[in-house]
Amino acid sequence: MHFLILSVACSVMVSVLLKLAPRRGIDIAQAVTWNYLAASGLALLVLRPSLQSLQGAQTPWLALLGLAVALPGIFLVLARAVREAGIVRSDVAQRLSLLLSLAAAFLLFNEPADVWKLAGLGLGLLAIVGVSARSGDAHGHGNSCGWLLAVWAGFALIDVMLKQVALAGTPSTSALLVSFSIAFVLMLLWQLWRHFSGRTRLSLRNLGYGLLLGLINFGNILFYVRAHQAMPHSPATIFAGMNIGVVCLGALVGMLVFGEKTSVMNRIGLALAVLAIGLIARGALS
Protein backbone atom coordinates (compact mmCIF):
# COMPACT_ATOMS: atom_id res chain seq x y z
CA MET A 1 0.00 0.00 0.00
CA HIS A 2 2.91 2.36 0.62
CA PHE A 3 3.83 2.17 -3.07
CA LEU A 4 0.34 3.35 -3.97
CA ILE A 5 0.54 6.26 -1.52
CA LEU A 6 3.91 7.30 -2.95
CA SER A 7 2.55 7.13 -6.50
CA VAL A 8 -0.41 9.33 -5.57
CA ALA A 9 1.90 11.82 -3.85
CA CYS A 10 4.22 11.98 -6.88
CA SER A 11 1.29 12.53 -9.26
CA VAL A 12 0.00 15.48 -7.24
CA MET A 13 3.54 16.81 -6.78
CA VAL A 14 3.90 17.02 -10.57
CA SER A 15 0.87 19.33 -10.63
CA VAL A 16 2.35 21.34 -7.75
CA LEU A 17 5.62 21.83 -9.66
CA LEU A 18 3.68 22.92 -12.74
CA LYS A 19 1.69 25.35 -10.58
CA LEU A 20 4.85 26.85 -9.07
CA ALA A 21 6.82 27.06 -12.32
CA PRO A 22 5.47 30.44 -13.55
CA ARG A 23 6.00 31.95 -10.09
CA ARG A 24 9.65 30.82 -10.19
CA GLY A 25 10.19 32.19 -13.69
CA ILE A 26 10.55 28.71 -15.16
CA ASP A 27 10.14 28.14 -18.90
CA ILE A 28 7.71 25.22 -18.96
CA ALA A 29 8.78 23.99 -22.40
CA GLN A 30 12.41 23.77 -21.29
CA ALA A 31 11.46 22.07 -18.02
CA VAL A 32 9.36 19.48 -19.86
CA THR A 33 12.30 18.82 -22.20
CA TRP A 34 14.73 18.08 -19.35
CA ASN A 35 12.01 16.12 -17.61
CA TYR A 36 12.21 13.56 -20.41
CA LEU A 37 15.99 13.41 -20.16
CA ALA A 38 15.62 12.43 -16.49
CA ALA A 39 12.69 10.09 -17.13
CA SER A 40 14.41 8.21 -19.97
CA GLY A 41 17.66 7.90 -18.01
CA LEU A 42 15.88 6.59 -14.92
CA ALA A 43 13.76 4.21 -17.00
CA LEU A 44 16.95 2.73 -18.47
CA LEU A 45 18.76 2.46 -15.13
CA VAL A 46 15.89 1.40 -12.85
CA LEU A 47 13.45 -0.53 -15.04
CA ARG A 48 16.17 -2.09 -17.23
CA PRO A 49 13.83 -2.80 -20.14
CA SER A 50 14.74 -5.31 -22.82
CA LEU A 51 15.34 -3.59 -26.14
CA GLN A 52 15.38 -6.92 -27.97
CA SER A 53 11.59 -6.85 -28.13
CA LEU A 54 11.79 -3.72 -30.31
CA GLN A 55 13.69 -5.46 -33.10
CA GLY A 56 10.75 -7.46 -34.42
CA ALA A 57 8.67 -6.53 -37.43
CA GLN A 58 5.57 -6.27 -35.22
CA THR A 59 6.97 -3.34 -33.21
CA PRO A 60 4.33 -0.55 -33.39
CA TRP A 61 6.70 2.27 -34.27
CA LEU A 62 3.88 4.55 -35.43
CA ALA A 63 2.15 4.28 -32.05
CA LEU A 64 5.47 4.78 -30.24
CA LEU A 65 6.19 7.89 -32.29
CA GLY A 66 2.67 9.10 -31.55
CA LEU A 67 3.35 8.64 -27.84
CA ALA A 68 6.63 10.55 -28.17
CA VAL A 69 4.69 13.52 -29.54
CA ALA A 70 1.61 13.21 -27.34
CA LEU A 71 3.42 12.81 -24.01
CA PRO A 72 5.22 16.18 -23.99
CA GLY A 73 2.20 17.73 -25.67
CA ILE A 74 -0.14 16.73 -22.86
CA PHE A 75 2.46 17.85 -20.32
CA LEU A 76 2.36 21.35 -21.79
CA VAL A 77 -1.45 21.26 -21.88
CA LEU A 78 -1.60 20.11 -18.25
CA ALA A 79 0.73 22.94 -17.25
CA ARG A 80 -1.56 25.48 -18.91
CA ALA A 81 -4.65 23.88 -17.35
CA VAL A 82 -3.08 24.03 -13.88
CA ARG A 83 -2.32 27.71 -14.42
CA GLU A 84 -5.77 28.57 -15.81
CA ALA A 85 -8.05 26.24 -13.84
CA GLY A 86 -5.99 25.21 -10.81
CA ILE A 87 -4.76 21.90 -9.43
CA VAL A 88 -8.15 20.77 -8.09
CA ARG A 89 -9.98 20.78 -11.40
CA SER A 90 -6.98 19.79 -13.55
CA ASP A 91 -6.24 16.64 -11.53
CA VAL A 92 -9.89 15.61 -11.71
CA ALA A 93 -9.96 16.15 -15.48
CA GLN A 94 -6.76 14.12 -15.82
CA ARG A 95 -8.15 11.18 -13.81
CA LEU A 96 -11.54 11.26 -15.53
CA SER A 97 -9.78 10.70 -18.85
CA LEU A 98 -10.41 7.05 -17.99
CA LEU A 99 -13.99 7.65 -19.17
CA LEU A 100 -12.86 8.16 -22.75
CA SER A 101 -10.38 5.31 -22.37
CA LEU A 102 -13.23 3.09 -21.19
CA ALA A 103 -15.41 4.13 -24.13
CA ALA A 104 -12.52 3.36 -26.48
CA ALA A 105 -12.11 -0.05 -24.82
CA PHE A 106 -15.78 -0.80 -25.55
CA LEU A 107 -15.66 0.44 -29.16
CA LEU A 108 -12.13 -0.40 -30.32
CA PHE A 109 -10.87 -3.24 -28.14
CA ASN A 110 -14.12 -5.21 -27.67
CA GLU A 111 -14.04 -4.98 -23.89
CA PRO A 112 -17.37 -6.18 -22.46
CA ALA A 113 -19.55 -3.49 -20.89
CA ASP A 114 -21.41 -4.12 -17.66
CA VAL A 115 -23.84 -2.10 -15.57
CA TRP A 116 -21.13 -0.92 -13.15
CA LYS A 117 -18.84 0.46 -15.85
CA LEU A 118 -21.73 2.05 -17.73
CA ALA A 119 -23.01 3.67 -14.52
CA GLY A 120 -19.51 4.94 -13.79
CA LEU A 121 -19.24 6.28 -17.32
CA GLY A 122 -22.52 8.17 -16.98
CA LEU A 123 -21.64 9.66 -13.58
CA GLY A 124 -18.17 10.53 -14.83
CA LEU A 125 -19.59 12.55 -17.70
CA LEU A 126 -21.71 14.49 -15.20
CA ALA A 127 -18.57 14.96 -13.09
CA ILE A 128 -16.76 16.50 -16.06
CA VAL A 129 -19.60 19.00 -16.47
CA GLY A 130 -19.42 19.91 -12.77
CA VAL A 131 -15.64 20.20 -12.65
CA SER A 132 -15.51 22.28 -15.85
CA ALA A 133 -18.00 24.82 -14.49
CA ARG A 134 -16.70 28.25 -13.56
CA SER A 135 -15.30 28.28 -10.05
CA GLY A 136 -16.00 31.93 -9.38
CA ASP A 137 -12.38 32.97 -8.76
CA ALA A 138 -9.41 33.96 -10.90
CA HIS A 139 -9.02 30.42 -12.15
CA GLY A 140 -12.54 30.26 -13.51
CA HIS A 141 -12.18 32.69 -16.39
CA GLY A 142 -11.02 32.60 -19.95
CA ASN A 143 -10.36 29.29 -21.62
CA SER A 144 -10.02 27.18 -18.45
CA CYS A 145 -12.86 24.91 -19.56
CA GLY A 146 -11.17 24.34 -22.91
CA TRP A 147 -7.86 23.45 -21.27
CA LEU A 148 -9.60 21.04 -18.88
CA LEU A 149 -11.29 19.29 -21.79
CA ALA A 150 -7.94 19.14 -23.60
CA VAL A 151 -6.41 17.43 -20.54
CA TRP A 152 -9.34 15.02 -20.42
CA ALA A 153 -9.06 14.08 -24.09
CA GLY A 154 -5.26 14.12 -24.22
CA PHE A 155 -4.66 11.66 -21.41
CA ALA A 156 -7.32 9.37 -22.88
CA LEU A 157 -5.54 9.47 -26.26
CA ILE A 158 -2.28 8.45 -24.58
CA ASP A 159 -4.02 5.58 -22.81
CA VAL A 160 -5.44 4.32 -26.11
CA MET A 161 -1.97 4.46 -27.69
CA LEU A 162 -0.51 2.52 -24.76
CA LYS A 163 -3.19 -0.14 -25.23
CA GLN A 164 -2.30 -0.42 -28.92
CA VAL A 165 1.37 -0.86 -28.01
CA ALA A 166 0.50 -3.50 -25.43
CA LEU A 167 -1.68 -5.41 -27.91
CA ALA A 168 1.28 -5.49 -30.31
CA GLY A 169 3.22 -7.38 -27.64
CA THR A 170 5.69 -4.62 -26.79
CA PRO A 171 6.60 -4.61 -23.06
CA SER A 172 5.40 -1.45 -21.33
CA THR A 173 8.85 -0.66 -19.90
CA SER A 174 10.45 -0.83 -23.36
CA ALA A 175 7.67 1.32 -24.83
CA LEU A 176 8.13 3.95 -22.12
CA LEU A 177 11.89 4.10 -22.59
CA VAL A 178 11.61 4.54 -26.36
CA SER A 179 8.78 7.09 -26.10
CA PHE A 180 10.60 9.11 -23.42
CA SER A 181 13.84 9.08 -25.41
CA ILE A 182 12.24 10.17 -28.69
CA ALA A 183 10.21 12.81 -26.82
CA PHE A 184 13.42 14.21 -25.33
CA VAL A 185 15.13 14.40 -28.75
CA LEU A 186 12.13 16.12 -30.35
CA MET A 187 11.76 18.58 -27.47
CA LEU A 188 15.50 19.29 -27.41
CA LEU A 189 15.48 20.14 -31.12
CA TRP A 190 12.61 22.56 -30.44
CA GLN A 191 14.46 24.18 -27.52
CA LEU A 192 17.63 24.58 -29.62
CA TRP A 193 15.58 26.27 -32.33
CA ARG A 194 14.00 28.59 -29.74
CA HIS A 195 17.44 29.36 -28.30
CA PHE A 196 19.24 30.11 -31.56
CA SER A 197 16.30 32.04 -32.99
CA GLY A 198 16.37 34.35 -29.96
CA ARG A 199 12.91 33.40 -28.67
CA THR A 200 14.27 32.19 -25.33
CA ARG A 201 17.55 31.29 -23.69
CA LEU A 202 18.52 27.90 -22.35
CA SER A 203 19.34 28.15 -18.65
CA LEU A 204 20.62 25.97 -15.81
CA ARG A 205 17.62 27.07 -13.73
CA ASN A 206 15.23 25.45 -16.18
CA LEU A 207 17.50 22.41 -16.44
CA GLY A 208 17.45 21.83 -12.67
CA TYR A 209 13.70 22.34 -12.43
CA GLY A 210 13.10 19.99 -15.35
CA LEU A 211 15.30 17.25 -13.88
CA LEU A 212 13.36 17.51 -10.60
CA LEU A 213 10.10 17.34 -12.54
CA GLY A 214 11.39 14.24 -14.36
CA LEU A 215 12.39 12.57 -11.10
CA ILE A 216 8.92 13.09 -9.61
CA ASN A 217 7.19 12.10 -12.85
CA PHE A 218 9.22 8.88 -13.07
CA GLY A 219 8.52 8.22 -9.38
CA ASN A 220 4.79 8.31 -10.12
CA ILE A 221 5.23 5.64 -12.82
CA LEU A 222 7.68 3.49 -10.85
CA PHE A 223 5.63 3.39 -7.65
CA TYR A 224 2.45 2.62 -9.59
CA VAL A 225 4.19 -0.34 -11.25
CA ARG A 226 5.57 -1.47 -7.88
CA ALA A 227 2.08 -1.22 -6.34
CA HIS A 228 0.72 -3.60 -8.98
CA GLN A 229 3.65 -5.96 -8.39
CA ALA A 230 3.09 -5.89 -4.63
CA MET A 231 -0.66 -6.54 -5.01
CA PRO A 232 -0.90 -8.62 -8.21
CA HIS A 233 -4.37 -9.94 -7.38
CA SER A 234 -5.90 -6.54 -6.68
CA PRO A 235 -5.58 -4.48 -9.90
CA ALA A 236 -8.99 -2.85 -9.41
CA THR A 237 -7.99 -1.77 -5.89
CA ILE A 238 -4.79 -0.20 -7.21
CA PHE A 239 -6.69 1.45 -10.06
CA ALA A 240 -9.36 2.93 -7.78
CA GLY A 241 -6.90 3.88 -5.05
CA MET A 242 -4.65 5.70 -7.50
CA ASN A 243 -7.37 7.69 -9.22
CA ILE A 244 -9.44 8.50 -6.14
CA GLY A 245 -6.28 9.27 -4.17
CA VAL A 246 -5.09 11.79 -6.75
CA VAL A 247 -8.51 13.43 -6.96
CA CYS A 248 -8.78 13.79 -3.17
CA LEU A 249 -5.17 14.78 -2.44
CA GLY A 250 -5.13 17.17 -5.39
CA ALA A 251 -8.30 18.82 -4.05
CA LEU A 252 -6.80 19.18 -0.57
CA VAL A 253 -3.50 20.61 -1.84
CA GLY A 254 -5.20 22.96 -4.28
CA MET A 255 -7.64 24.38 -1.73
CA LEU A 256 -5.53 24.34 1.45
CA VAL A 257 -2.06 25.14 0.11
CA PHE A 258 -2.84 27.35 -2.89
CA GLY A 259 -6.20 28.73 -1.77
CA GLU A 260 -8.03 27.64 -4.92
CA LYS A 261 -11.75 28.30 -4.70
CA THR A 262 -14.38 25.85 -5.92
CA SER A 263 -18.02 26.41 -6.70
CA VAL A 264 -20.87 24.18 -5.59
CA MET A 265 -20.87 22.65 -9.08
CA ASN A 266 -17.14 21.95 -8.82
CA ARG A 267 -17.58 20.19 -5.47
CA ILE A 268 -20.47 18.12 -6.80
CA GLY A 269 -18.25 17.20 -9.75
CA LEU A 270 -15.49 16.11 -7.35
CA ALA A 271 -17.89 13.86 -5.44
CA LEU A 272 -19.29 12.39 -8.66
CA ALA A 273 -15.74 11.76 -9.92
CA VAL A 274 -14.88 9.71 -6.83
CA LEU A 275 -18.12 7.75 -7.14
CA ALA A 276 -17.62 7.17 -10.88
CA ILE A 277 -14.09 5.82 -10.34
CA GLY A 278 -15.38 3.52 -7.61
CA LEU A 279 -18.11 2.14 -9.88
CA ILE A 280 -15.68 1.53 -12.74
CA ALA A 281 -13.31 -0.26 -10.35
CA ARG A 282 -16.25 -2.37 -9.12
CA GLY A 283 -16.98 -3.28 -12.72
CA ALA A 284 -13.37 -4.39 -13.18
CA LEU A 285 -13.88 -6.94 -10.39
CA SER A 286 -16.82 -8.63 -12.10
Side-chain angles (χ1 to χ4, degrees):
M1 187 60 70
H2 63 286
F3 286 125
L4 181 60
I5 294 172
L6 288 171
S7 182
V8 169
C10 285
S11 180
V12 175
M13 183 58 67
V14 167
S15 294
V16 170
L17 289 175
L18 294 176
K19 178 89 171 182
L20 292 174
R23 304 181 186 185
R24 301 289 186 269
I26 298 297
D27 184 296
I28 288 292
Q30 286 189 43
V32 169
T33 300
W34 303 122
N35 149 79
Y36 283 110
L37 174 62
S40 55
L42 288 169
L44 181 62
L45 294 173
V46 178
L47 298 179
R48 298 183 180 278
S50 171
L51 299 181
Q52 220 170 11
S53 60
L54 300 172
Q55 297 175 2
Q58 75 281 4
T59 302
W61 285 109
L62 188 60
L64 291 172
L65 181 59
L67 279 171
V69 174
L71 285 170
I74 195 59
F75 227 135
L76 296 174
V77 169
L78 179 62
R80 184 63 181 269
V82 167
R83 189 175 75 185
E84 296 285 344
I87 292 175
V88 179
R89 299 160 73 200
S90 297
D91 276 354
V92 175
Q94 177 184 346
R95 292 298 151 180
L96 284 180
S97 65
L98 66 93
L99 301 177
L100 291 178
S101 302
L102 187 61
F106 294 154
L107 298 173
L108 302 178
F109 303 109
N110 299 317
E111 180 175 321
D114 59 32
V115 65
W116 296 106
K117 292 177 182 177
L118 292 175
L121 188 60
L123 283 179
L125 292 174
L126 292 176
I128 281 290
V129 174
V131 170
S132 299
R134 294 171 67 94
S135 60
D137 69 347
H139 294 299
H141 72 286
N143 295 322
S144 63
C145 180
W147 288 109
L148 289 173
L149 293 176
V151 167
W152 184 49
F155 275 99
L157 176 62
I158 288 171
D159 190 55
V160 170
M161 289 183 187
L162 287 171
K163 281 188 173 65
Q164 289 178 325
V165 170
L167 287 174
T170 304
S172 59
T173 52
S174 302
L176 287 176
L177 174 60
V178 171
S179 298
F180 288 167
S181 300
I182 298 175
F184 169 64
V185 171
L186 294 176
M187 290 293 290
L188 180 60
L189 290 174
W190 181 33
Q191 300 319 309
L192 290 174
W193 175 78
R194 295 175 74 211
H195 176 82
F196 289 111
S197 65
R199 285 168 170 77
T200 187
R201 305 295 296 177
L202 294 173
S203 74
L204 291 176
R205 182 183 183 85
N206 292 318
L207 170 63
Y209 204 88
L211 293 177
L212 175 61
L213 183 63
L215 176 64
I216 302 299
N217 185 32
F218 179 77
N220 171 35
I221 297 169
L222 177 65
F223 292 131
Y224 188 63
V225 171
R226 294 288 185 260
H228 275 288
Q229 292 174 339
M231 302 172 65
H233 303 297
S234 305
T237 301
I238 300 298
F239 167 83
M242 179 66 187
N243 287 285
I244 293 174
V246 169
V247 168
C248 295
L249 182 60
L252 289 174
V253 170
M255 290 187 288
L256 299 181
V257 177
F258 293 98
E260 295 178 4
K261 299 186 184 305
T262 55
S263 66
V264 173
M265 284 290 289
N266 295 155
R267 291 190 288 274
I268 291 174
L270 282 168
L272 289 176
V274 172
L275 183 57
I277 292 167
L279 289 173
I280 293 171
R282 172 63 181 81
L285 292 173
S286 56

